[in-house]
Amino acid sequence: MAYPQAWVVDALLSDGVPVSIRPIRPDDGTALAAFHDGLSEETAYRRFFSFKPHLTDRDVERFVHVDYRDRMAFVAVLGEQLIGVARYDRLPGTEDAEVAFVVADAHQGRGLGTLFLEYLAAAARDCGITRFIAETLAVNRGMLDVFRAAGFREETSREREVVTVALDIRPTDAARAATEAREWSAAVLSMSRLLRPRSIAVVGAGRREGSVGRSILRTLLQSGFRGPVYPVNPHASTVEGVAAHPSVAAIPHPVDVAVIAVPPAAVLEAVDACAARGVHGLIVVSSGFSESGPEGAALERRLVERAHRGGMRLIGPNCLGVIDTHPGVRMNATVATRAPVPGPIAFASQSGALGIAMLERAEGMGLGMSAFVSMGNKVDVSSNDLLRYWEQDEQTRVILLSLESFGNPRAFSRVARRVSRSKPIVAVEAGRSAAGARGAASRTAALAAPDSAVDALSRQSGVIRVDTLEQLFDVGAVLAHQPLPRGGRVAVVGNAGGAGILAADALARSRLEPVVLDAGVQAALRAAVPGASGLGNPVDLGAGAGAESFRRALAIVLAADQVDAVIAVHAPVPGAPVAEVAAAIAAAAAGAGKPVLATFLGMDAPPAVPGTEARVPAFASPEPAAQALAAVTAYARWRMRPEGAVTVLDAVDPDAARSVVAAELDGRPEGAWLGPEAARVLLATYGIAAGPAKEGAAVQAVASAGVETIVGVVHDPVFSPGGVSIVDVRLRLVPAVPHPELTVRRLRPIPAPLAV
């Protein structure tokens, strides 16, 4: 068989360090022999059950020549060294294969054996192998633990000092959970290295005022970063009053993260120097990569290959840096002159300049940030990695995303669905129109996804999708400081009758319910605020209502069982200072257990309503308040839904399905609609009983209620298979169970099988 390039991947070791895994090649003989020579006597003995200090030429020839089907081998490469080998050999005429692993002594205990097993199992299943047989010494506890932790069905037997393990490698829920847990933990650790560094080098910290490197160095120093900062400049002895070093290699102390701000032609040299110095992670702000054309794209591929080969994760390129406000870090590695105040919101933006502008908006709204990441071309670190990290970050309660593309929508869906159960995700995506998609591609080489597919992904994953950057922060403000509503029944309380009516209309347009308050609540309002009118909802406190009237009325309305949320509307009037009204609203909202939003009419910059944890979001008009509340309410309802489970289809025959399709395409390679009988047979191969089909219909079935429904499957270049039901048109992503190997971060993704 041809060399299986699709299996060349980058994965993460258990400590978060990237490693390259690929099928073995015939030219690996010299490296394989050197690898074996470097093994300790104990490791070599555990592999071969005898003392074998060197591989013979015949051994090397046999090991490096495989057919990639009945005999398969993977190697792991870190830096320039081969650090592990794993292989299987099919037992002739069976669905069983013998499997063996060996990992260099210095890299044992880093999860490489687990990665090898996942990849070998996936490759073997593709070739019809269903069981692995392994023999290992009873003292080899590490290897036995790898087999037990994989989640496969296992049978073991022992004869003297040798344990025989038989693994049924067909996917199980336990195996998928084990893979997900491994990947999740590794991603979190890799992000910790980047977002919580103990020391930073700025490569390209120039002397010229206004240069990017110097600006980032300055903000790092001004933000009070808790660790040392090392400028790297071969032409300067000091930069910003700090001693400079001619190269990364010349820095006398360990470096966790390097910010690279040099011309694109010099980036690879800087990356190699960082790898040689043992730097853990890179933030590449340099531009001129895939966003600039084919040559830049080729340079970008070499960039990430060099970074991963050196064991480093990479943010960027073409980004504007990273901020972490944790009191133990206080890192502002961006050109933003003012770091945001600490707070509960984490924000990731594909556009650096836009992201920094939105940080200024957040500051104006009084919103505190836990972190900001400019992802740039996100050739390595993506929103999926950041979501995993922020899920466990105690400083973060709300996650905001500004995206221009989806790298791996299926992975995003799985990750977001889990994170959204505990922390809300709010996303705005650029490139929704044809013109916007062209613009996104020219800026960050983003491949914009179809709008309907993104909507489907968001609904299924619990992601709150908004249309504008203003809505992104409006919704984020509500989520950061207010509890989730129990339902969609909303009361409006204000001192301007017309504005209250507009607010009620905005709620109705947003599919919320301006609930009619019952007689008891109205009576209580009448007694507490004698001048109030229209007490059914909206509640008009009268133009002269001051802070105390707002406090009393809100307390009564919030206590009503029939109310899930409240919007307070205030029109500035003499004798009722806005600051006092804002304080009264905050006092009423504190401890109510229901969301309260405030609207201060006619104010371009509504006042920050007092309070910390229960700060009330303030808006300049009722419409954005209603829209934000509607988005939060929809999310709350999603959180209340049962999680559900992905159905695993057992009685399926993919080979028969392929035969049906191949037969239909044999004479019509350009494609065509299936005839009624062929459609019935195709569905039957997946256990679907079709109703009477008509000519011209791809699939036609009759629902239990007697409603005719047409179901089809489309293949999107970004989202892969997706489904659409016509009549009441709804698009959903196919909930196919992924192969475990598909969840690993990689340079070149493994093609997913079509799942219907």
Side-chain angles (χ1 to χ4, degrees), residues 387-427:
L387 288 176
R388 293 186 181 99
Y389 175 77
W390 285 329
E391 184 208 34
Q392 57 78 51
D393 179 30
E394 294 181 356
Q395 303 292 119
T396 299
R397 291 202 303 269
V398 180
I399 301 168
L400 307 184
L401 302 176
S402 175
L403 303 174
E404 295 175 7
S405 67
F406 285 88
N408 187 337
R410 285 178 173 271
F412 179 84
S413 178
R414 290 193 301 273
V415 172
R417 188 180 296 111
R418 168 173 161 173
V419 175
S420 293
R421 288 289 171 184
S422 58
K423 296 184 179 181
I425 303 168
V426 191

Side-chain angles (χ1 to χ4, degrees), residues 404-539:
E404 295 175 7
S405 67
F406 285 88
N408 187 337
R410 285 178 173 271
F412 179 84
S413 178
R414 290 193 301 273
V415 172
R417 188 180 296 111
R418 168 173 161 173
V419 175
S420 293
R421 288 289 171 184
S422 58
K423 296 184 179 181
I425 303 168
V426 191
V428 61
E429 189 205 1
R432 296 175 67 168
S433 67
R438 290 194 301 272
S442 65
R443 280 186 9 81
T444 58
L447 179 59
D451 197 53
S452 55
V454 177
D455 264 340
L457 181 147
S458 301
R459 288 195 306 270
Q460 291 171 233
S461 305
V463 174
I464 304 171
R465 191 185 188 201
V466 296
D467 297 324
T468 67
L469 289 165
E470 288 75 13
Q471 291 174 0
L472 184 75
F473 279 90
D474 288 348
V475 175
V478 177
L479 291 165
H481 298 291
Q482 291 295 301
L484 294 177
R486 294 191 297 266
R489 301 169 301 176
V490 185
V492 177
V493 177
N495 67 340
I501 295 171
L502 290 176
D505 288 343
L507 291 170
R509 286 195 300 271
S510 299
R511 298 186 177 183
L512 295 173
E513 179 187 355
V515 63
V516 177
L517 301 175
D518 63 33
V521 175
Q522 293 188 41
L525 287 169
R526 190 174 297 108
V529 188
S533 62
L535 301 179
N537 192 23
V539 177

Side-chain angles (χ1 to χ4, degrees), residues 12-18 183-198 256-257 280-283 308 311-316 322-324 329 331 348 371 373-375 380-393 745:
L12 293 177
L13 297 172
S14 59
D15 55 8
V17 174
E183 183 193 26
W184 206 281
S185 174
V188 168
L189 286 173
S190 71
M191 290 299 96
S192 296
R193 290 167 172 260
L194 278 166
L195 300 183
R196 299 279 170 89
R198 294 165 297 181
D256 280 351
V257 166
H280 294 159
L282 304 173
I283 302 170
H308 286 181
M312 300 176 290
R313 296 300 304 273
L314 161 70
I315 293 177
V322 173
I323 294 174
D324 193 305
V329 182
M331 172 181 62
V373 176
S374 167
M375 295 180 289
D380 180 19
V381 171
S382 70
S383 52
N384 294 342
D385 299 294
L386 296 171
L387 288 176
R388 293 186 181 99
Y389 175 77
W390 285 329
E391 184 208 34
Q392 57 78 51
D393 179 30
R745 184 73 186 160

